[in-house]
Amino acid sequence: FVRWETTGGVAVSDENAVSTMVTVLGNGTLRVVGNVKKLEYAYDHENPQSQSEKAGHIDAVRFTPFFSGQLLTARYYMYYLSSYQSNTFTVHVMDKGWDDLITPFNVTPTSEGWFDVDLSSHNISVNEGEDFYIGIEWINNYNPSLGEDRTNVSYRSWHWDEVHWDAEEYSDFMIRAVAGTTTPEIVVGVKAGDWAGYGDVS
């Protein structure tokens, strides 16, 4: 790793750090001098409030990868875990048409805060500029709670009510994706509202 380079409305918190926060305020470019190891795609600002749904409903976030690679981790911000009923939910990884890329499976968080689900064994490829979704489906009514962030909404969150998908206009569901890549030196064009996240470089 050498450094991060930005132009226009793209900024990094530390251009010389291996891990840095990238903020997109306008059109510009992000260039990493070195080899990208993995990127965490994040559309929320980590200001959680509680969000829950009825059993069978799904909340999901739409991700647009900057680079092609493999999906490694789904991250969910868990809020208000119950001490008297199951906190298990179903993980969905879907393509741009909301079709499941893998068989949905159940997980159970053990503490509040960021809960990581390992997806590396599923060999899910993601492609530069090609949307995919990560979702949470409720098994039990209104439990557990997912974090939602109402700060500078990105309009990338969606809700399934067992009939159709609707865009969420007032908040960002706190679901993130971590993707790996072996791409060498990269220059990427970025538009306002596209993405903010962490980059790890080796």
Side-chain angles (χ1 to χ4, degrees), residues 26-67:
N27 297 346
T29 61
L30 168 68
R31 179 174 186 261
V32 72
V33 182
N35 293 321
V36 173
K37 183 178 180 181
K38 62 181 180 180
L39 288 173
E40 178 178 327
Y41 294 91
Y43 301 107
D44 65 87
H45 293 80
E46 206 162 6
N47 296 314
Q49 298 183 49
S50 179
Q51 157 71 8
S52 61
E53 300 287 354
K54 293 195 301 184
H57 288 215
I58 302 172
D59 286 345
V61 173
R62 176 173 58 90
F63 297 91
T64 307
F66 275 3
F67 318 122

Side-chain angles (χ1 to χ4, degrees), residues 115-151:
F115 172 61
D116 290 358
V117 178
D118 185 5
L119 298 173
S120 60
S121 63
H122 294 277
N123 297 315
I124 305 167
S125 295
V126 295
N127 300 310
E128 178 184 340
E130 187 173 314
D131 290 346
F132 68 92
Y133 293 80
I134 293 177
I136 173 176
E137 179 182 352
W138 274 263
I139 299 173
N140 303 301
N141 284 337
Y142 307 112
N143 196 75
S145 291
L146 174 70
E148 68 171 351
D149 186 345
R150 297 175 183 171
T151 309

Side-chain angles (χ1 to χ4, degrees), residues 51 53 56-63 76 90-101 104 132-138 146 156-169 173 175:
Q51 157 71 8
E53 300 287 354
H57 288 215
I58 302 172
D59 286 345
V61 173
R62 176 173 58 90
F63 297 91
Y76 299 85
T90 302
V91 172
H92 285 268
V93 181
M94 300 167 284
D95 64 17
K96 61 184 179 181
W98 291 294
D99 293 318
D100 287 307
L101 292 170
F132 68 92
Y133 293 80
I134 293 177
I136 173 176
E137 179 182 352
W138 274 263
L146 174 70
R156 285 182 167 268
S157 294
W158 292 77
H159 173 71
W160 168 256
D161 63 2
E162 299 184 87
V163 179
H164 49 72
W165 287 98
D166 288 315
E168 175 61 41
E169 298 181 359
F173 300 138
I175 302 173

Side-chain angles (χ1 to χ4, degrees), residues 1-5 12 14-20 30-37 185 199-202:
F1 170 74
V2 181
R3 64 186 175 277
W4 300 88
E5 295 180 350
V12 293
D14 187 340
E15 65 182 20
N16 298 308
V18 171
S19 296
T20 188
L30 168 68
R31 179 174 186 261
V32 72
V33 182
N35 293 321
V36 173
K37 183 178 180 181
E185 185 174 302
D200 289 337
V201 183
S202 61

